[in-house]
Amino acid sequence: MTNPDRLWDTCADSLRTQLGQSTWLAWFDGVRQLSGGDEPASRTGTGEVNRQVVLSVPASVVKERLEARYMPMITEELGKACGGQVKVRLTVATEPGLSDESVLSVEPPPPGAAARTEATRSTSPAAASTATALNPAYTFDAFVTGPSNRFAEAAAQAVAEMPGSAYNPLFIYGGSGLGKTHLLHAIGNYVHQHFPHRRVLYVPTETFLNQFIHSMRTKAQTDFKQRYRVCDVLLFDDVDLLENKEALQEEFFHTFNALYQSSTQIVLSADRPPKQFLTVDDRLRSRLLSGVTTTVEPPDLETRLAILGKKAEGIDRSVPPDVLEFIATNIRHNIRELEGALIRVTAFANLNEESLTLDLAEKLLADVVAGNQPRQLSPAMILAATGELFGFSVEELCGASRRRSLVTARHVGMYVCRQLTDHSYPMIAREFGGRDHTTVIHAINKISTLMAERRQIYEQVIELMRRLQAGG
Ligand code: ADP
Ligand code: MG
């Protein structure tokens, strides 16, 4: 039999092989055996040894994760190693300096620390905007995994649970509408909820660029630097926008380095690998790739079905499986379009109190299915068509007036822009008069709900999309 003090070491190799290197490093690396070498705790009726093994883990997040997911595997392996049944208990290591994660998630911060955090929060514009800049609907729970995105999700989850220590930087790339922004927000939402005194900053590269230009103009460079250098988790979305912007790449490199050296967790997304859009600096490229790089790919049919099923749960009506299957089979490349199609058919059925059948779905989505190669549309075209449909000028749509009918038109335009172009929230925000991207998130959520409640809104959205697709 294995030396009872070394049971864990004995199973480590086998576990590592079964789990894969990345999972092992994220969750098992700091696990140690505390006890288990004692006399057997009891003997069962059949004479089998029933031993208790106590393992120490570096943080309570690790403990929760191992308990939730890996206990049967651990128990089985330890059982094999000692030739009998074992009972496994996990305990969070308490030695000072071993880990601060456990302290963070188990105990609230001391009163002084909380006050300090609050104080910095209220004085720092970057921190103040943190919570609202995240879309609360983009969580890990709402993210469906499949072969196309499993590793990206696991890496994002590991980063969220142990910011700054698992994978740094984490670089996620892949095509439009495949969940990159969703994963970045999910990390942000998770950290925000579980480590409230850690500061998360979600920065669309578009915003970074605008603030950079603004700081150059107003000579407020120190503010600019400060804003980005006071956070614990920085989520940089769409960094491919750095392409052809050399001064910005330079600034980005300095910001990145400063953060990296202070162990800030950095997560980046792009639509391509860095070598395809970073032109000035090899150092920056290799830095971005020095952590973990992972991709999101178009989901297979099964995953598309699962995603639709999940989105349908949030809708106040049941969607028959053949309708889900029809949508999943016909819309293949973009999850945003999948969602859009689902909203379209469920909203229609709701408004007309009709039952949602395959026939109806086929009819409603005929254009989407037939075309499947949408026309290239620009926000300018969408703004013009929106103005025309609602009887407003583009200036009015982009202006500041909050007149009700105008606000509705603006929001419908933003929704359609999200549906028919690859533009990110901040890009849409800029096109609609330089607003904040959170306004766009809000508008899109609102319109997708209103479509099922107000016939007029539904018809305006569909009509606007129809005109744009038809090129009229
Ligand atoms: P990207 O940033 O890659 O262009 P987004 O993150 O904006 O894509 O995703 C587009 C839409 O698809 C979002 O509404 C998002 O919630 C949804 N989505 C993407 N991937 C998934 C997934 N795996 N599970 C559930 N929803 C997803
Ligand atoms: Mg995105």
Side-chain angles (χ1 to χ4, degrees), residues 138 142-144 149 176-182 311 335 339 418:
Y138 289 176
F143 193 86
V144 175
N149 59 21
S176 172
L178 298 181
K180 302 181 297 295
T181 297
H182 188 134
K311 305 271 174 196
I335 297 167
E339 269 186 293
R418 171 80 176 155

Side-chain angles (χ1 to χ4, degrees), residues 5 37 70 134-135 139 171-172 187 192 226 372 375 395 404 419 432 449 454 458:
D5 289 324
Y70 300 109
L134 296 170
N135 186 340
T139 60
F171 187 93
I172 304 175
I187 295 172
H192 197 71
Q226 206 48 35
N372 234 353
R375 239 159 57 83
E395 289 68 39
R404 206 159 170 209
Q419 289 295 312
F432 279 76
T449 313
R454 302 217 333 240
Y458 178 87

